[in-house]
Amino acid sequence: MKKTFFYLAPMVAASLWLGGCCSSSPREVEATAVNEIRPPATPLVTVDPYFSVWSFDDQVNEAPTRHWTGKEHPLVAAIRVDGKTYRVLGKETVYLDPILPTVAIEGWEAQYVNREPAGNWTKVNYNDKAWKTGPAAFGTKDMPNIGTPWREGDIWVRRTFELDQDLSAEELVLEYSHDDVFELYVNGIQVANTGNTWRNNVQIELNDVVKSTLKPGKNVIAAHCHNTVGGAYVDFGLFRKDNLESCIAQTAQQKSVNVLPTRTFYTFECPGVDVELVFTAPFLLDDLQLASQPFNYVTYQVRSNDGQEHAVQFYFETTPQLAVHNDSQPVVTTRGAQNGISYLKTGTVEQPILGRKGDNVRIDWGYLYLAAPEQSGALAIADYFE
């Protein structure tokens, strides 16, 4: 199987296995209060706006976890009960093979204008010889990988490309990032119309009608973006979907989620055991030294739901994506131990301390640690996909 980011600096998964035995009478830590409010996104790791991880979905184990900007910040956890494994957190990302890479993977050029063009500019045979040519991405300097500055008003972009094979039978994904009002077309067929919003790395699967137009020869992806205020951005690409099977085929049944001021509680049911997964941010304002430390805790507990004893192991993994602004940044990953704690450490090679500003920013300085007591489990570093 291919690596998730084989075309970038090698990305690795930091993993942790914890083992134990579950009886019908465990020591338990219960949520001391119940919050009936369901937030639009559920906090998992909350250090500061640059470093945080959230679940955008009702079921925390049916989709990847994300930074608040929408960028994937993957956390995956699983429970193994009597030799059978069940996912309780996150989900692996489907591998996408680039046909037309986005600028984070490889630079690309397109034709563009800033005044509304005459005629049907989304069609393959449209004459764009009078348009300017410039490198992607298009937008303001505070946005990632800007090749062509653009700030005010509108921009129209045509990215033409040649295919040497018929893609109509493939599973294809179009990825785009935009700020603000954005519309996108494939060979004249509209595939996205966002309204007044901005998002990054949006992925949509192309339907059969759109795919049927992707034939050998000339093709075009065309976009129009209107900037209302502040930052502006346009980037897009086309990918082939590689349906790699998840290594964790079974999913635990999520029973509840309870979001409290400093903790989020999830409960799951598996054959033989119930599982509670707890995320804790120690932001206690009566201890400012503790509140200022960038630590979060992930704990789990299990109890038998059938009156029998069960052999239980807990698995947790993450990747250096939590320590980069974008996936093209090279990283270094090491392991170590100190004062009875084993840890994995990862961060960017560059370490641009306080080098970025704006809304669409993720932390890329400092280091991410995954740590546990030395005697409680095994830590490993490996390719994300083998």
Side-chain angles (χ1 to χ4, degrees):
M1 293 165 60
K2 300 174 184 175
K3 294 180 183 177
T4 306
F5 300 104
F6 74 98
Y7 39 77
L8 307 177
M11 303 296 281
V12 297
S15 62
L16 171 66
W17 272 107
L18 303 174
C21 181
C22 168
S23 70
S24 58
S25 301
R27 293 181 61 188
E28 298 180 7
V29 178
E30 299 288 352
T32 56
V34 175
N35 183 1
E36 300 294 341
I37 298 175
R38 286 296 303 274
T42 303
L44 305 177
V45 175
T46 52
V47 175
D48 59 44
Y50 292 141
F51 177 37
S52 60
V53 185
W54 302 74
S55 171
F56 286 14
D57 301 272
D58 290 337
Q59 305 296 314
V60 73
N61 54 3
E62 293 186 354
T65 57
R66 300 180 183 274
H67 186 263
W68 72 266
T69 59
K71 186 75 172 178
E72 286 189 16
H73 271 188
L75 302 176
V76 174
I79 197 87
R80 180 180 289 164
V81 183
D82 300 329
K84 294 184 178 180
T85 305
Y86 306 87
R87 182 190 297 108
V88 294
L89 171 66
K91 191 173 184 179
E92 302 92 332
T93 303
V94 173
Y95 174 73
L96 298 178
D97 183 21
I99 298 170
L100 296 178
T102 55
V103 72
I105 301 170
E106 183 179 295
W108 57 274
E109 287 189 342
Q111 284 65 52
Y112 72 97
V113 291
N114 297 111
R115 292 186 178 181
E116 185 172 3
N120 195 340
W121 55 276
T122 69
K123 294 289 189 180
V124 174
N125 58 2
Y126 179 80
N127 185 354
D128 59 13
K129 293 186 180 300
W131 290 33
K132 301 175 186 177
T133 299
F138 303 85
T140 48
K141 63 181 181 179
D142 55 316
M143 295 299 190
N145 303 306
I146 293 298
T148 300
W150 159 63
R151 173 175 291 278
E152 297 178 351
D154 296 74
I155 191 169
W156 288 261
V157 179
R158 283 174 51 86
R159 186 178 184 181
T160 57
F161 56 99
E162 296 284 335
L163 290 176
D164 58 7
Q165 59 179 311
D166 189 330
L167 297 181
S168 60
E170 300 278 358
E171 291 190 74
L172 301 178
V173 172
L174 194 65
E175 181 176 307
Y176 61 88
S177 300
H178 69 97
D179 189 350
D180 299 294
V181 186
F182 185 70
E183 52 184 322
L184 193 63
Y185 300 81
V186 175
N187 289 334
I189 301 175
Q190 188 177 81
V191 295
N193 191 340
T194 68
N196 189 9
T197 184
W198 63 269
R199 292 185 65 191
N200 291 289
N201 308 109
V202 179
Q203 295 178 352
I204 55 174
E205 293 192 32
L206 298 183
N207 61 37
D208 290 341
V209 174
V210 177
K211 291 191 296 183
S212 68
T213 70
L214 292 167
K215 303 290 187 180
K218 185 179 179 180
N219 295 265
V220 65
I221 300 177
H224 167 229
C225 192
H226 171 67
N227 183 32
T228 58
V229 67
Y233 197 60
V234 170
D235 182 29
F236 52 84
L238 181 65
F239 297 81
R240 179 185 289 107
K241 189 175 179 181
D242 191 343
N243 287 319
L244 300 175
E245 292 185 4
S246 171
C247 59
I248 308 173
Q250 301 181 84
T251 302
Q253 181 183 0
Q254 181 179 311
K255 304 293 288 185
S256 66
V257 57
N258 189 23
V259 181
L260 301 177
T262 60
R263 292 188 292 178
T264 295
F265 289 79
Y266 281 98
T267 58
F268 305 89
E269 182 180 342
C270 299
V273 302
D274 293 332
V275 184
E276 187 167 62
L277 191 61
V278 186
F279 297 87
T280 302
F283 292 154
L284 304 176
L285 296 186
D286 59 350
D287 188 337
L288 295 183
Q289 182 176 3
L290 177 64
S292 65
Q293 295 175 350
F295 301 129
N296 273 210
Y297 300 89
V298 182
T299 56
Y300 80 100
Q301 57 189 19
V302 296
R303 63 174 175 268
S304 174
N305 58 27
D306 61 4
Q308 304 297 316
E309 288 194 355
H310 300 276
V312 174
Q313 290 177 295
F314 179 75
Y315 174 81
F316 186 87
E317 75 173 34
T318 186
T319 82
Q321 286 168 278
L322 274 66
V324 299
H325 174 67
N326 62 64
D327 295 340
S328 63
Q329 293 178 278
V331 297
V332 59
T333 303
T334 59
R335 60 184 301 163
Q338 188 173 350
N339 299 327
I341 299 293
S342 297
Y343 63 85
L344 304 177
K345 171 186 174 183
T346 188
T348 61
V349 173
E350 183 184 10
Q351 289 295 305
I353 298 174
L354 298 175
R356 301 182 190 275
K357 62 180 180 179
D359 289 333
N360 184 27
V361 174
R362 291 153 297 276
I363 197 163
D364 57 0
W365 54 275
Y367 293 91
L368 172 72
Y369 289 82
L370 177 62
E374 284 185 319
Q375 303 304 318
S376 66
L379 288 152
I381 301 172
D383 293 336
Y384 199 56
F385 286 118
E386 295 180 351

